[in-house]
Amino acid sequence: MTSLQRRVLFVAICSSCLVILDASAVNLALPAMMRELGGGLAFQQWVVDGYLLTLGAFILAAGSVADRYGRARVLGIGVIAFTATSLVCGFAWNDWVLVAARLLQGTAAAVVTPSALALITASSDGPVRARMIGLWTAWTSAAAVAAPFVGGAAVDLATWRLVFLVNVIPAALMWRPLVQLRKAVPPPAPSGRLDALGAGLAVVALGGIVLGLIEQGARGWADPIVVVCLSVGVVAGIAFAVRQRVAATPMLPLSLFRERNFAAGNLSTWWAYGALGVGFFILGLYLQQRMRLTAFEAGLGLLPATLSLLFLSPTAARIGARIGPRLPMALGPGLGAAAFAWIALETPPLNYWRDILAPVILFGIGLSIMVAPLTAAVLNAVPVTSSGIASAVNNAVARVASLVCIAAAGGIMGGLLDDVGFRRGMLATAVLLAASAATSAAWIRNPKAADGTSAGAGSAVVGGTEEHD
């Protein structure tokens, strides 16, 4: 890696970790927030969901803006906004000031998320890109592991406000390299007008769908607010697709979906991240409610899966770069499907060490094999000039899939988390992962280099390059 690529990797990891930490660390601090600021269940819900709502709603528009005006420039704006809103969260003087700040913080996170990974794609190719994506995956996984501990430690040792105020440290550390990147990587010259109408429709579409799915958990599918939100989101989504077909300079060129690996990779992402969301949601509840583990013990029980991702992702990325993405993207979720089917076939009452630990480790290995090659396959399928919007699409697919499947968890389990409902949930998760494996096996293609040899998952292959089985 060159010095420029090392700076890119450092900035991408730090900025992504900012977003991941604040998405998860807040959960354990909610009771302390309520004790100090007041508010009830609605306040606690919106501290979490307000962030997810604006992050999901603005991510496509942010990815398009990053491609148009420069990823380093847009990322810098996002980091400044994220840090400022974190300070407002940390010094919030009442409950709804905190909620308003979280809504703005989610918007800033939407600006940061696609730009970080797009910087890696734009600055590298071949095995170097694969290595950078693998390291990015490993470190962001470490942030996901650390987030609950950061939240718990802040509450136990100091104050919940530290969950937000600590964001100043990584933001300060990455600022100088980010300024250097802005000078070293000039922004592209914009061509045509920004598709403001398309961006607005994308915000309404994703915002309506995400808000409807969030509210469904408390209100149910038949509630008028849920129906209106989902209906508005779907109608806006259709209007967005129509707009992209006729716009002179579309925000999301629909031609990207004609690239086989981009379309298939996002479909595989849908199945896999839907499974990840609902599977760990149900398993986490079962460990606490039926197996009588504490929340901390349940978190430790699921830790082996994330640790596998942390330590194995760089190796999986290098292997994927050599052999191509098809096998890792099929094998990884296939192992995950076997892991959840294994849990489903266990005979209650379950014991963690006997019945849960080994399948969790197997799932972690499968996830490690899949994630970095999947990310590389999706981004390598499109031109570098579209890497911001491509990253945004993949992130949006993952987040919405997880929300949809978690919202359907009650129906999957039959409305009750007993042993039968748990088994249904585990089998449904296995089916979703099997669908991801089948999608990748059937439709993902290993790119072919210009000389006819296999280019592997890490090559800088853009749309239109010949592919082979």
Side-chain angles (χ1 to χ4, degrees):
M1 267 189 282
T2 65
S3 60
L4 176 63
Q5 289 168 336
R6 284 193 290 270
R7 285 197 295 271
V8 166
L9 182 60
F10 179 76
V11 166
I13 288 172
C14 284
S15 55
S16 297
C17 287
L18 277 177
V19 174
I20 291 169
L21 282 170
D22 265 36
S24 303
V26 169
N27 294 342
L28 289 179
L30 290 174
M33 293 176 188
M34 190 172 69
R35 286 194 298 270
E36 182 173 336
L37 300 179
L41 180 60
F43 162 65
Q44 291 181 303
Q45 179 185 12
W46 276 101
V47 168
V48 175
D49 291 345
Y51 181 87
L52 297 176
L53 172 61
T54 50
L55 172 56
F58 286 95
I59 194 167
L60 277 187
S64 177
V65 170
D67 283 337
R68 184 179 180 81
Y69 296 109
R71 290 103 186 182
R73 174 189 293 179
V74 171
L75 182 58
I77 294 170
V79 169
I80 292 172
F82 195 91
T83 306
T85 53
S86 295
L87 290 173
V88 176
C89 290
F91 291 112
W93 54 92
N94 64 44
D95 50 353
W96 292 111
V97 168
L98 179 56
V99 170
R102 284 286 282 173
L103 288 164
L104 294 173
Q105 191 185 36
T107 305
V111 175
V112 170
T113 299
S115 301
L117 192 53
L119 268 177
I120 291 177
T121 304
S123 67
S124 60
D125 57 20
V128 174
R129 181 188 293 179
R131 182 185 175 198
M132 291 174 72
I133 289 176
L135 289 169
W136 176 85
T137 301
W139 280 99
T140 52
S141 301
V145 172
F149 296 98
V150 169
V155 173
D156 292 342
L157 302 178
T159 169
W160 62 265
R161 297 178 184 274
L162 196 59
V163 171
F164 301 109
L165 298 178
V166 74
N167 291 335
V168 174
I169 297 174
L173 289 174
M174 66 182 286
W175 185 248
R176 184 179 178 185
L178 185 53
V179 171
Q180 293 171 337
L181 287 183
R182 289 184 62 180
K183 296 177 180 178
V185 184
S191 58
R193 298 178 60 185
L194 177 67
D195 183 17
L197 177 58
L201 288 170
V203 170
V204 174
L206 287 171
I209 291 171
V210 171
L211 180 58
L213 291 171
I214 288 172
E215 289 298 305
Q216 181 276 333
R219 299 173 181 270
W221 291 108
D223 185 86
I225 292 179
V226 174
V227 172
V228 169
C229 288
L230 293 177
S231 299
V232 169
V234 170
V235 170
I238 294 171
F240 171 75
V242 173
R243 170 65 183 173
Q244 299 314 289
R245 289 184 65 87
V246 301
T249 54
M251 189 190 90
L252 172 57
L254 297 182
S255 59
L256 294 181
F257 291 95
R258 291 199 292 268
E259 299 301 332
R260 184 165 183 158
N261 278 10
F262 182 76
N266 278 296
L267 182 57
S268 183
T269 297
W270 177 272
W271 300 126
Y273 279 82
L276 184 61
V278 71
F280 270 64
F281 174 74
I282 294 173
L283 184 56
L285 289 179
Y286 191 84
L287 289 175
Q288 296 175 70
Q289 296 181 13
R290 299 288 292 179
M291 296 179 64
R292 304 303 181 189
L293 301 182
T294 66
F296 182 73
E297 289 170 341
L300 287 178
L302 299 177
L303 191 60
T306 313
L307 289 177
S308 297
L309 195 61
L310 170 63
F311 291 111
L312 299 180
S313 287
T315 300
R318 288 195 297 271
I319 293 173
R322 287 199 297 268
I323 68 174
R326 186 180 185 183
L327 179 59
M329 288 176 62
L331 177 62
L335 291 177
F340 277 94
W342 181 353
I343 296 174
L345 295 176
E346 297 284 2
T347 303
L350 301 186
N351 174 274
Y352 175 80
W353 299 103
R354 185 189 64 223
D355 303 316
I356 304 296
L357 177 60
V360 166
I361 293 173
L362 179 61
F363 173 74
I365 294 171
L367 195 64
S368 305
I369 292 171
M370 175 192 73
V371 172
L374 186 154
T375 302
V378 169
L379 294 181
N380 288 341
V382 303
V384 171
T385 52
S386 298
S387 56
I389 189 65
S391 175
V393 168
N394 196 241
N395 271 279
V397 167
R399 294 177 189 280
V400 173
S402 182
L403 282 170
V404 168
C405 290
I406 290 174
I412 292 171
M413 294 185 294
L416 186 64
L417 186 57
D418 57 7
D419 291 331
V420 174
F422 175 69
R423 176 170 290 178
R424 289 176 180 166
M426 295 297 95
L427 286 175
T429 303
V431 169
L432 290 170
L433 287 166
S436 179
T439 298
S440 297
W443 287 303
I444 289 292
R445 292 293 179 263
N446 293 329
K448 181 184 290 185
D451 62 359
T453 61
S454 176
S459 302
V461 180
V462 299
T465 303
E466 183 182 0
E467 296 173 329
H468 69 89
D469 290 344

